[in-house]
Amino acid sequence: MNFFAVLLKESINSATPILLAALGGAFTYYANVFNIAMEGMMLTGAYFGVIGSYFFGSWAIGLLFAIISSIILSTLFSFFAVYLHSDEFVTGIAINMLALGGTTYLLRSTFHVKGAFISSKIISIPSWKIPFLDHIPLLGKVISGYSAIVYIGFLLAIIVDIVIFHTSFGLRLRATGEEEVATRSLGINPLTVKFISAVLSGLFCGIAGAFLSLGYINLFSENMSNGRGWISLTIIILVKARPLGILLLSLLFGFFGALGVMLQNSSIPPQFTSMAPYIATLFALYVYSKQKRKGSL
Amino acid sequence: MRGIYKIYPPEVLALENVDWSLKKGEVHSIVGENGAGKSTLMKILSGLIKPSSGKIFIKDCHVIFSAPYQAMKMGIGMVHQEFMLIPSFKVYENVILGSEKDLSKFGGLLDKRKAKSIIKSLSEAYGFEIDINAAASDISVAAQQKVEILKQMFRKVEIVIMDEPTAVLTPQEIEELFGRLRKLKEMGKTIVFISHKLDEVLEISDRITVMRKGKKVDTILNKDITKNVLANMMVGRDVIFRVNKPFKTPGKAVLEVDNITVNSIKRKTLGPVRFNVYEGEILGLAGIEGNGQFELVEALIGAMALSSGKISVKGIDVTNIAIRDRRKYIGFVSEDRKYTGLALKGSIKENLIMTHHIKNEMHNLPFTINWNKGEIFAQRLIKDFSIVCRSISEQCISLSGGNQQKVVVAREFTLNTPFLLLDQPARGLDVGTIEFIHKKILDMREHGIAILLISADLDELFNLSDRLMVMREGKITGILDPSETTKEDLGAYMLGVKENV
């Protein structure tokens, strides 16, 4: 496979967890819950995905574990941030730190390893080969043969768009985020809506986490989410959480991430190449603010 | 509703043993001063707040509401004073929100086409001319009110409670609203109309309930009743609608506005405008909203830069001096007491001494405030302006509208400025407070202060002004003598039919 085909494939792979987490965060964005805990939920999902897969020998149970653990964390987040009205930012930071410290501790106490846990007993999520398309030279390699979650992620972007803009729940979600008092006056409980949005973000982050440890690669390492939750947050804010915009920007960030990895083989020092996605973030923020300024005049 | 009490802890009695009834198909008004309990009573009926005791019966059935949707199921809906709309949502989305479940297919997917057609036919049936695809934030206040009424109609409400619906409308829009309310009545709906504007109440109602200090004074049929009797019931004493003001010969020019203009990016929004306000004179400024009054106010207080011209007070050129320095010459009551006039979360004390705190007598050391002196000062203002509050450190946000306005007026009227700019000083207040504020304005006139009074209330302008000035499209189109002018005549100037400058 030539360089570009690999680059494209890697881009899509590294875009997927960002895409999933950002789609989850879109729900909380529209409900006006400032959710920065995607990072922690993803990491927790990644860890428990490995646990489920390793101990039960099934990727499905791994995925289930990932989703449940991440939802539990999001419930904890919404209990504090939504019901107790604690500061969302502080709560989110606490959740992220809890996830980082907690998974690191559990990794060491359960498997007695430091850094990363690799085992052949971790069953990964199967990859799908699309019939017919798979046999087309070059193109087949680029669009076929990904982990199932990649395809699901793309599909979810469309589904989330429909849910938010064309369903009864979406209407209530956006109304709650915009005018809580008015929504309450119409017999809708804003707390319930916000809670559901947080759970949904947990669900999506759980899938993202499972993809990290069971799809993309087959191991768990400390802090393996590595800032992806934050990049998701950036994307959400940049595109005002439009699901299709999230899809597009995730691919862009995935591309820079993959570029960073691939350039490690070149003569550029790896410390610089791994900066690529973050430099891209700053650049995107620059372009965005410029445009916003133009728009306001 | 029988024996309704509402107590706000620790000891505020908002409603005391209120019995009240509503007949099918009537327009029933509830009048009372701010804080009389009219809105509280209706919020109980619409399920928004729970009564401390008492029972509600509908068609002899005892009902208990713990949330608005339960009242809505029984056919009771309320149009709140502050509209409950989602700004970015389209009109039809706002209408269906909360009751959109019936319009869904395949488990939650909205049938937007069906929703639009239902709302469209509903809006036509009631004669509302409204674009159902416009965003709520893009339409006028009057149109937003139509959306609120549509919301109730969509929910098949039988009883519509309107909380101060005319407060936000222009006179023409009020007429249109009354037309719509009459139409609703013809269609068999029952309407509760909360207001403190007596003329409106007398025009629209079948029955009138008067409330005072949390108690029901009486419910009366709207015939053979005069405005004065009603006002007396409301306030508990006689109210003088006609202000007696002694004749005064105006003195020297205090405020001199010399051909000022303000240009925005697109066009010239103000001017050139030239006028003087004299010592001991109230100059009333009339005009339909949006004809340059806003720009004139901003220019005078220094919030907007002039493109040309000069403003001086007592011969001192203030055109280019900072707002803080200008406040030595210009006192200002803003039309928007909640955002411009007050720091709502600040205490009454803090709000009262703002600007006064710059004066030397408020300091011990530079950059510090002598709070003891501040407290004495604030206490004096509370007494002089009869501001009703629980304590001097209470937040302004918890005061009634009338008392909030009194805080602003107290602060600005004691600045000892030679000129006062009053922008809608009595808007949205009850008769008692209006009477009080008008008296204070006349006191200031007695003391030789020059006053520019901007108002949308023509009665207020005619009662107080020594001269009337009309603005249209950023220019002065008329100077009139209120004693020789009729309201209709003034209206003709405001609409641009007549000009005399």
Side-chain angles (χ1 to χ4, degrees):
Chain A
M1 236 192 292
N2 67 26
F3 178 80
F4 287 104
V6 176
L7 179 64
L8 216 58
K9 196 150 183 142
E10 277 304 302
S11 301
I12 288 174
N13 268 326
S14 57
T16 301
I18 299 172
L19 168 69
L20 283 163
L23 288 175
F27 289 108
T28 44
Y29 178 89
Y30 280 112
N32 196 22
V33 176
F34 187 54
N35 178 5
I36 57 164
M38 272 106 65
E39 175 82 9
M41 295 196 268
M42 210 193 294
L43 183 61
T44 309
Y47 176 78
F48 283 96
V50 165
I51 291 278
S53 179
Y54 176 81
F55 286 108
F56 294 91
S58 150
W59 62 267
I61 293 182
L63 182 62
L64 194 68
F65 267 49
I67 289 171
I68 291 173
S69 63
S70 173
I71 286 181
I72 289 173
L73 208 60
S74 69
T75 312
L76 190 68
F77 171 78
S78 57
F79 174 71
F80 280 96
V82 176
Y83 284 97
L84 299 181
H85 298 286
S86 66
D87 187 274
E88 289 159 337
F89 190 82
V90 175
T91 314
I93 293 277
I95 294 283
N96 286 339
M97 289 173 128
L98 175 72
L100 179 59
T103 53
T104 304
Y105 166 75
L106 286 172
L107 174 73
R108 293 180 188 183
S109 64
T110 313
F111 299 110
H112 307 290
V113 289
K114 270 189 182 176
F117 174 65
I118 308 169
S119 164
S120 56
K121 285 195 200 160
I122 305 173
I123 311 295
S124 67
I125 296 168
S127 38
W128 281 349
K129 290 204 183 245
I130 302 174
F132 308 117
L133 287 180
D134 192 40
H135 300 295
I136 304 170
L138 212 59
L139 186 70
K141 289 276 189 297
V142 176
I143 60 172
S144 176
Y146 293 98
S147 167
I149 290 186
V150 173
Y151 301 109
I152 292 171
F154 278 72
L155 197 63
L156 280 175
I158 296 162
I159 292 174
V160 169
D161 188 75
I162 292 170
V163 168
I164 289 178
F165 294 106
H166 299 278
T167 65
S168 164
F169 171 72
L171 198 68
R172 289 169 179 227
L173 180 77
R174 287 181 290 133
T176 301
E178 213 174 315
E179 278 293 330
E180 210 177 313
V181 183
T183 314
R184 193 190 295 277
S185 80
L186 294 165
I188 298 165
N189 186 348
L191 294 186
T192 312
V193 176
K194 286 183 166 187
F195 175 72
I196 294 173
S197 79
V199 168
L200 283 171
S201 82
L203 170 75
F204 280 65
C205 289
I207 303 174
F211 177 75
L212 281 182
S213 62
L214 299 176
Y216 193 28
I217 38 178
N218 221 15
L219 57 86
F220 179 82
S221 71
E222 289 169 16
N223 191 25
M224 80 182 300
S225 52
N226 198 19
R228 287 181 178 87
W230 296 103
I231 291 182
S232 305
L233 186 68
T234 314
I235 292 175
I236 291 169
I237 294 169
L238 284 179
V239 300
K240 297 202 172 73
R242 310 259 157 203
L244 302 178
I246 289 175
L247 177 63
L248 205 71
L249 269 193
S250 301
L251 287 172
L252 188 73
F253 278 97
F255 171 76
F256 280 108
L259 194 67
V261 174
M262 304 232 351
L263 286 179
Q264 280 175 7
N265 302 327
S266 68
S267 56
I268 306 166
Q271 287 84 352
F272 282 99
T273 55
S274 53
M275 284 182 199
Y278 309 106
I279 290 170
T281 309
L282 285 176
F283 182 71
L285 277 172
Y286 173 78
V287 172
Y288 168 74
S289 327
K290 269 274 185 185
Q291 273 188 340
K292 203 165 135 187
R293 272 199 173 165
K294 258 189 227 158
S296 69
L297 274 180
Chain B
M1 299 175 87
R2 281 185 215 155
I4 302 288
Y5 280 86
K6 177 70 192 179
I7 297 158
Y8 287 109
E11 53 188 8
V12 180
L13 194 56
L15 287 176
E16 191 180 346
N17 198 15
V18 175
D19 295 329
W20 187 77
S21 69
L22 190 61
K23 286 179 193 157
K24 188 171 166 51
E26 71 172 343
V27 176
H28 192 136
S29 289
I30 305 183
V31 298
E33 293 191 89
N34 285 329
K38 13 183 231 302
S39 292
T40 310
L41 185 69
M42 286 305 109
K43 280 177 182 167
I44 289 173
L45 181 61
S46 66
L48 205 68
I49 50 181
K50 287 180 213 168
S52 305
S53 76
K55 286 175 179 170
I56 303 171
F57 297 88
I58 294 172
K59 290 174 189 156
D60 293 325
C61 278
H62 180 208
V63 289
I64 298 168
F65 300 141
S66 53
Y69 74 93
Q70 291 169 329
M72 220 171 260
K73 267 189 200 155
M74 296 301 294
I76 302 171
M78 183 155 175
V79 174
H80 294 270
Q81 202 175 353
E82 269 120 38
F83 296 150
M84 298 286 183
L85 297 176
I86 316 292
S88 77
F89 276 28
K90 291 180 175 148
V91 167
Y92 81 91
E93 289 176 316
N94 264 301
V95 174
I96 62 171
L97 179 64
S99 306
E100 75 285 345
K101 289 266 155 84
D102 309 337
L103 292 165
S104 317
K105 50 184 183 184
F106 327 119
L109 207 61
L110 274 184
D111 191 344
K112 290 190 178 175
R113 192 175 299 163
K114 191 173 156 199
K116 281 185 200 176
S117 78
I118 290 176
I119 307 300
K120 201 165 169 60
S121 56
L122 195 65
S123 141
E124 277 161 7
Y126 289 97
F128 291 7
E129 281 155 14
I130 194 163
D131 177 10
I132 61 164
N133 283 313
S137 55
D138 292 344
I139 58 179
S140 71
V141 175
Q144 289 178 359
Q145 192 174 54
K146 288 186 202 169
V147 179
E148 286 285 358
I149 299 174
L150 263 185
K151 260 162 81 173
Q152 305 305 330
M153 295 306 116
F154 179 69
R155 286 163 177 77
K156 302 201 169 54
V157 155
E158 287 303 314
I159 302 169
V160 188
I161 304 166
M162 309 275 299
D163 192 0
E164 310 250 0
T166 57
V168 291
L169 302 179
T170 64
Q172 290 85 346
E173 289 166 341
I174 291 174
E175 271 315 304
E176 279 177 36
L177 172 72
F178 282 180
R180 279 195 289 279
L181 293 184
R182 287 191 191 103
K183 181 145 193 194
L184 289 180
K185 188 186 156 189
E186 274 170 34
M187 295 173 110
K189 308 279 182 194
T190 310
I191 294 156
V192 181
F193 182 83
I194 305 176
S195 181
H196 51 235
K197 292 186 186 160
L198 302 181
D199 292 319
E200 294 172 0
V201 166
L202 289 167
E203 184 183 339
I204 191 91
S205 350
D206 297 317
R207 287 199 299 163
I208 302 167
T209 294
V210 182
M211 295 199 58
R212 187 168 74 225
K213 290 179 182 159
K215 287 184 201 155
K216 187 175 103 170
V217 179
D218 203 357
T219 297
I220 40 180
L221 284 172
N222 182 19
K223 21 177 207 194
D224 318 319
I225 184 164
T226 66
K227 193 175 166 187
N228 283 317
V229 175
L230 204 56
N232 186 308
M233 286 170 77
M234 211 168 122
V235 186
R237 60 181 164 80
D238 283 329
V239 177
I240 304 139
F241 286 101
R242 191 81 210 165
V243 186
N244 292 318
K245 60 176 186 221
F247 180 76
K248 267 194 82 151
T249 32
K252 286 178 285 183
V254 176
L255 175 81
E256 292 170 86
V257 174
D258 191 6
N259 281 325
I260 59 165
T261 56
V262 172
N263 297 340
S264 77
I265 302 163
K266 291 170 208 152
R267 62 199 167 89
K268 186 178 277 186
T269 46
L270 177 69
V273 168
R274 177 188 197 133
F275 64 90
N276 292 345
V277 188
Y278 299 94
E279 222 169 64
E281 179 198 47
I282 299 175
L283 175 63
L285 177 62
I288 295 164
E289 248 181 88
N291 273 288
Q293 297 95 323
F294 173 76
E295 287 79 7
L296 178 65
V297 168
E298 297 273 294
L300 287 176
I301 63 168
M304 205 180 258
L306 295 183
S307 306
S308 67
K310 189 179 142 187
I311 300 167
S312 51
V313 179
K314 285 221 152 173
I316 300 154
D317 185 354
V318 299
T319 317
N320 293 312
I321 66 173
I323 293 180
R324 185 161 160 160
D325 297 322
R326 239 178 243 241
R327 306 254 305 137
K328 287 176 197 150
Y329 311 107
I330 301 175
F332 170 52
V333 174
S334 148
E335 70 170 326
D336 186 353
R337 56 180 164 267
K338 288 196 165 136
Y339 295 97
T340 322
L342 293 171
L344 277 185
K345 290 190 175 166
S347 70
I348 296 169
K349 179 168 68 182
E350 286 162 350
N351 273 287
L352 280 173
I353 67 165
M354 275 179 205
T355 312
H356 294 280
H357 76 276
I358 307 169
K359 292 182 199 159
N360 282 329
E361 68 256 30
M362 287 284 182
H363 300 294
N364 284 339
L365 295 164
F367 308 115
T368 62
I369 292 170
N370 183 339
W371 283 105
N372 287 333
K373 282 186 185 162
E375 174 131 6
I376 295 163
F377 175 75
Q379 290 288 10
R380 183 167 64 83
L381 291 196
I382 286 178
K383 200 166 140 267
D384 290 353
F385 286 82
S386 26
I387 298 164
V388 182
C389 58
R390 270 170 283 185
S391 106
I392 191 165
S393 354
E394 189 182 342
Q395 284 190 336
C396 282
I397 200 164
S398 59
L399 292 178
S400 70
N403 280 308
Q404 286 179 349
Q405 188 70 353
K406 280 184 184 174
V407 171
V408 178
V409 167
R411 182 183 69 215
E412 298 299 320
F413 281 25
T414 49
L415 281 173
N416 293 325
T417 54
F419 169 64
L420 278 174
L421 173 58
L422 309 179
D423 193 359
Q424 313 271 14
R427 178 186 264 188
L429 304 180
D430 57 80
V431 281
T433 314
I434 291 175
E435 192 190 25
F436 181 86
I437 287 176
H438 284 176
K439 202 175 138 285
K440 286 287 175 190
I441 294 175
L442 290 172
D443 282 353
M444 296 311 280
R445 173 177 174 267
E446 277 301 293
H447 284 100
I449 309 293
I451 297 166
L452 177 62
L453 170 73
I454 302 173
S455 180
D457 181 351
L458 299 187
D459 286 324
E460 182 175 41
L461 285 175
F462 273 99
N463 280 341
L464 294 177
S465 312
D466 295 301
R467 279 192 302 153
L468 284 170
M469 181 165 87
V470 186
M471 262 184 100
R472 180 167 167 75
E473 289 170 354
K475 295 201 175 77
I476 290 163
T477 57
I479 300 275
L480 305 164
D481 180 349
S483 60
E484 292 170 2
T485 313
T486 62
K487 269 195 202 175
E488 287 69 28
D489 216 21
L490 180 62
Y493 277 93
M494 286 165 72
L495 291 166
V497 182
K498 279 189 180 179
E499 277 188 29
N500 77 356
V501 176

